[in-house]
């Protein structure tokens, strides 16, 4: 919604000086969206928050000039309330800038899943650390970067690819309004990347042009192998997030024909 408000301002500029903040959440925001907001709505401070239902929606936040400087980061943990750490598959704590599962500990974390001890034990340990299922890292300044969901990471021929990184690169093309990137099965590589792209009404784009555009921004193995373009907005689930799983299922069915 915050991205669409910026789009509305670009298409039909008006006095929005009374708007002091415009924050988002729920998913990583492409850096280009942050830059566009700063350019076209300079008086509205951008921001993003990260949290889960199990943590009472608390975790980390990033806003203002700091967000503009680090638009790929969801920010730093709330002082005096939240602790964050990154672990590997064996539960070992990773160093700065090392990618792994994000864990949160705080007084706001849930106690258990109602009448489901097995599910609780899978993600909450005896010390109160909650395993979020999100993949990311903490940089040298203490800022958290979320790359993907743990189970949604695409592994192409042994190479891990974070979908938000590819989505962010696609979003930089001037003809693109939004994009969703996901993995589809491949007999040789295990998985390859595919994407649904919504282009602006006044724009035009095809796979050749977008592939060439991405070649200057991403490693070759991160450029999607399949593209689908549409003018209609990408489908959403009830919470407003892009229905990536539905699009992936539709893409797999289409490719099997």
């Amino acid at each position: 919604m915050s991205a669409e408000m910026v789009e509305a301002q670009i298409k039909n500029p008006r006095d929005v000086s009374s708007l002091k903040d415009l924050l988002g959440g729920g998913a990583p925001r492409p850096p280009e969206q942050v830059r566009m907001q700063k350019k076209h709505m300079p008086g509205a401070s951008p921001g993003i928050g990260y949290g889960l239902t199990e943590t009472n929606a608390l975790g980390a936040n990033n806003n203002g000039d700091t967000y503009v400087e680090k638009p790929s980061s969801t920010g730093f943990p709330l002082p005096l309330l939240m602790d964050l750490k990154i672990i590997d598959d064996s539960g070992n704590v990773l160093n700065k800038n090392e990618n792994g599962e994000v864990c949160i500990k705080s007084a706001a974390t849930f106690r258990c899943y109602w009448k489901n001890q097995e599910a609780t034990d899978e993600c909450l340990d005896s010390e109160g650390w909650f395993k979020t299922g999100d993949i990311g890292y903490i940089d040298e300044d203490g800022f958290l970067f979320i790359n993907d969901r743990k189970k949604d990471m695409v592994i192409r021929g042994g190479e891990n690819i974070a979908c938000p990184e590819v989505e962010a690169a696609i979003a930089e093309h001037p003809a693109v309004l939004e994009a969703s990137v996901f993995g589809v099965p491949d007999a040789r590589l295990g998985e390859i990347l595919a994407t649904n792209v919504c282009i602006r009404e006044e724009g035009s784009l095809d796979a050749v042009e977008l592939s060439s555009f991405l070649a200057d921004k991403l490693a070759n193995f991160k450029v999607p192998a399949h593209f689908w373009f549409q003018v209609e907005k990408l489908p959403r689930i009830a919470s407003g997030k892009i229905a990536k799983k539905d699009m992936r299922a539709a893409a797999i069915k289409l490719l099997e024909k």
Side-chain angles (χ1 to χ4, degrees), residues 51-58 108-110 113 130:
L52 301 92
T53 301
E54 292 88 346
T55 65
N56 276 291
L58 299 176
T109 303
F110 80 138
Y113 291 115
F130 170 64

Side-chain angles (χ1 to χ4, degrees), residues 14 41 51 118 128 164 182 193 221 245:
R14 69 208 76 184
M41 304 175 78
E118 182 179 355
F182 45 86
L193 286 184
F221 67 88
K245 290 183 180 179

Side-chain angles (χ1 to χ4, degrees), residues 166-194:
V166 184
E167 290 168 349
I170 294 174
E172 291 184 23
H173 193 287
V176 172
L177 184 61
E178 58 183 359
S180 182
V181 173
F182 45 86
V184 293
D186 181 78
R188 185 171 71 90
L189 297 170
E191 280 187 305
I192 53 178
L193 286 184

Side-chain angles (χ1 to χ4, degrees), residues 9 19 24 43 50 63 75 77 93 95 121 133-134 158 162 176 186 200 205 213-214 218 225 236:
Q9 178 67 3
L19 181 62
Y50 167 71
N63 53 62
V93 179
N95 298 319
D121 292 341
D134 288 319
V176 172
D186 181 78
R200 302 178 189 278
L205 190 61
F213 176 81
L214 295 175
L218 299 170
R236 253 74 176 176

Side-chain angles (χ1 to χ4, degrees), residues 105-141:
K105 181 180 181 180
S106 84
T109 303
F110 80 138
R111 186 176 66 186
C112 66
Y113 291 115
W114 180 246
K115 296 184 178 181
N116 194 338
Q117 191 61 43
E118 182 179 355
T120 302
D121 292 341
E122 286 181 0
C123 64
L124 188 65
D125 68 18
S126 59
E127 297 180 352
W129 284 102
F130 170 64
K131 294 193 290 185
T132 66
D134 288 319
I135 298 297
Y137 65 92
I138 298 174
D139 72 3
E140 59 280 354
D141 297 321

